[in-house]
Amino acid sequence: MIPKVSVIVPVFNAGERLCQCLDSLTNQTLKEIEIIIVLDCPTDGSDKVAEHYASKDSRIKLIRNKENLNIGFSRNEGLKIAQGEYVGFSDHDDYCEPQMFEHLYRNATDRDADIVISDIGEDINGIKHTTGFPENSDNFRESYLRSLINGSPFKRGTHSFDNCNSIWNQIYRRTFLLENNVTFSDNRVVTYEDSLFLIKAYSLAKSVSYIPETLYYHVETGENEYRSYSYRSITKVCNYLCEMIEFLKGSGDAYRQEISNSVFQRIFTSLLNELHFKGLCAFFKAMRQVRSNISLITCIKSPKPSVRLTFAKRLVLKHLNG
């Protein structure tokens, strides 16, 4: 029997939160699922926990990476063996409501959708927060895509298209991903791999459906990767921006303003990241690295920025042009 949904879970050192994650997946009301656990060389015993769950539930498949691939390429390993009509993703320390994949799958088949997206849940010290999207959008896919490209900052507790970049609150038609070669970049060298995946998927999708339900909860631990130096390192950020620009070349000037905003915002926060973690010398070294990239400098300078970026943009351009 072909599973209706494949759920891919990369696992590194998940600690005690792995059990909550796997309990929430094995207890889904949609029984026709497969759970693909990609063991990315954990060292804390997470592999033993995964093996224990697999021994009790035949729907669980284990993949063992020979080397540490990080989350992006680990998800790709899961995609290689997935059999479900649709594919979803879970982080190893998050959890979802028992009806999540039943509701998403039902909506996907009713609407013949390539992608179905729901609201975003966060669990911060046991307190749950919900963030969502506008329900009455004339073109949800296009509005979501523009915000993705723009790199808009997340606004907790609102209903806005600023609130994208999360892949876990969605499912994707597997054949759609395969036919369009939508996979994850290597986040050992490129950051924001989720955003790149989503930009590709939403650019190519013919049908996107939104259901205003909170079904997945991202657990905020204070130790999440996006708080680390590596997540916003200037090299990884520049690699992300260049890959995004290259992918969107075929769109002409359709997203010119959004690309410019994204390049500026990402570089600005990355420069602050260099200053915060590495100091003044690293900051000026990063400035020189950006200045040498003609493609990025052109994108920063081209369209007019939004009002909230004007001062910061002038500040950065002063240094880049100096």
Side-chain angles (χ1 to χ4, degrees), residues 116-261:
V116 180
I117 179 172
S118 59
D119 287 337
I120 301 166
E122 292 181 286
D123 184 328
I124 304 175
N125 297 322
I127 300 173
K128 295 182 178 181
H129 302 263
T130 296
T131 301
F133 309 96
E135 290 187 48
N136 300 315
S137 172
D138 292 335
N139 191 333
F140 187 97
R141 185 197 69 82
E142 182 67 15
S143 298
Y144 190 93
L145 175 59
R146 286 187 179 277
S147 189
L148 271 171
I149 297 168
N150 193 71
S152 302
F154 183 76
K155 296 178 180 177
R156 179 175 291 124
T158 66
H159 283 77
S160 165
F161 282 111
D162 290 335
N163 304 318
C164 30
N165 301 325
S166 300
I167 66 160
W168 340 280
N169 57 322
Q170 315 184 36
I171 59 171
Y172 316 82
R173 196 196 308 267
R174 185 173 63 86
T175 54
F176 157 72
L177 297 180
L178 291 175
E179 289 166 3
N180 291 284
N181 194 31
V182 179
T183 58
F184 291 89
S185 300
D186 185 354
N187 63 301
R188 292 170 295 184
V189 295
V190 178
T191 193
Y192 307 124
E193 75 286 345
D194 290 3
S195 295
L196 278 173
F197 177 91
L198 290 169
I199 287 170
K200 294 172 185 177
Y202 276 78
S203 294
L204 299 165
K206 294 180 179 178
S207 174
V208 174
S209 181
Y210 166 57
I211 55 175
E213 295 184 60
T214 306
L215 300 168
Y216 183 101
Y217 285 92
H218 175 62
V219 178
E220 174 59 65
T221 64
E223 302 173 355
N224 303 85
E225 184 185 7
Y226 60 80
R227 295 181 180 275
S228 68
Y229 164 78
S230 177
Y231 190 72
R232 291 189 176 89
S233 73
I234 193 68
T235 300
K236 286 186 177 182
V237 167
C238 288
N239 289 342
Y240 160 79
L241 292 169
C242 289
E243 188 170 336
M244 178 188 70
I245 292 167
E246 180 64 27
F247 176 78
L248 293 170
K249 270 185 178 178
S251 303
D253 287 339
Y255 304 109
R256 188 181 177 201
Q257 181 68 64
E258 287 82 7
I259 292 171
S260 176
N261 286 347

